[in-house]
Amino acid sequence: MKKHILVATDGSETAGKAIDLAAELAAKFDVPLTIGHILHFGRPPEELAHMARVEHLVESVREKSGADFPNVPGNIMKLFDDSRPGDNAVRIITLIGDEILKRGADRAKELGVDQVSTRSGQGDTADTILDMAEDVGADMIVVGHRGLGRVRRMVMGSVAQKVVQQAECTVISVR
Ligand SMILES: Nc1ncnc2c1ncn2[C@@H]1O[C@H](COP(=O)(O)OP(=O)(O)OP(=O)(O)O)[C@@H](O)[C@H]1O
Ligand SMILES: [Mg+2]
């Protein structure tokens, strides 16, 4: 019997599958579900551009924030090209994170989970996911096998690998 499930999402399609499975399990076990996202500070701008194409996420954030960056994803690349993100980049990364979490929570509720909460964090992605799991008392972590990285390969993504290797609880990696 599980007590609390944490699912980690970077907004990718595979992470969406992880949310679906985690939500189905949480609904079945009738346990709380936490959806966690580590903000994309310092990540390659290509990842955000990829996300924009996958889900039109950036477009909807643009509408909400009133931020002026037409021609997504071309401009989002420029926005994040600096080694130190400016105020606008920080604001947009934060808004994207909020939107990813909101969509995950909506989906989990749709799948019948009663207790859904969200958390965002900053820092090394895998370490922060592991800390979150401990914080919320999760005894299961669900991640996607792949994420927003563009490299086509058979091996598991680096975040998923580290979480699987270092977690103290059960980890499910969804394909
Ligand atoms: N920023 C993040 N916040 C929350 N969860 C994440 C984040 N990044 C990755 N994950 C989790 O890890 C899973 C696998 O993503 P991962 O980053 O390991 O693969 P990748 O992006 O394909 O490869 P890499 O990042 O090594 O280039 C995602 O589906 C998601 O569940
Ligand atoms: Mg990744």
Side-chain angles (χ1 to χ4, degrees):
M1 187 66 184
K2 291 291 150 198
K3 293 194 304 268
H4 194 129
I5 298 172
L6 171 74
V7 60
T9 175
D10 57 358
S12 65
E13 210 179 316
T14 316
K17 291 185 191 168
I19 289 172
D20 281 11
L21 180 69
E24 281 169 27
L25 291 172
K28 237 185 196 110
F29 287 125
D30 194 21
V31 295
L33 177 70
T34 297
I35 302 173
H37 173 69
I38 317 310
L39 296 167
H40 279 82
F41 296 128
R43 301 296 303 169
E46 291 81 11
E47 290 194 355
L48 286 159
H50 184 202
M51 185 155 61
R53 276 195 292 276
V54 171
E55 286 211 72
H56 305 288
L57 199 76
V58 176
E59 283 92 330
S60 92
V61 161
R62 179 179 49 162
E63 276 168 27
K64 280 185 196 169
S65 69
D68 183 24
F69 49 100
N71 304 325
V72 171
N75 275 52
I76 200 116
M77 304 274 275
K78 256 188 246 145
L79 199 64
F80 294 103
D81 243 358
D82 299 334
S83 51
R84 292 182 55 198
D87 286 353
N88 210 25
V90 168
R91 192 162 67 96
I92 289 162
I93 288 175
T94 307
L95 286 168
I96 289 172
D98 290 347
E99 184 70 19
I100 288 172
L101 288 171
K102 186 189 169 295
R103 288 184 184 200
D106 287 350
R107 177 67 180 152
K109 284 174 199 155
E110 207 178 290
L111 291 173
V113 186
D114 288 330
Q115 303 169 69
V116 183
S117 51
T118 58
R119 282 209 174 197
S120 67
Q122 287 182 46
D124 175 84
T125 310
D127 286 343
T128 311
I129 292 169
L130 293 166
D131 288 347
M132 259 183 204
E134 243 184 81
D135 267 13
V136 300
D139 53 354
M140 180 189 278
I141 304 172
V142 183
V143 292
H145 182 74
R146 298 295 323 273
L148 286 174
R150 302 253 36 206
V151 191
R152 292 217 174 274
R153 53 177 182 193
M154 298 307 288
V155 294
M156 198 184 263
S158 59
V159 172
Q161 263 184 53
K162 190 169 169 185
V163 171
V164 165
Q165 279 165 5
Q166 296 190 10
E168 286 178 14
C169 64
T170 300
V171 180
I172 298 182
S173 152
V174 179
R175 287 178 196 241

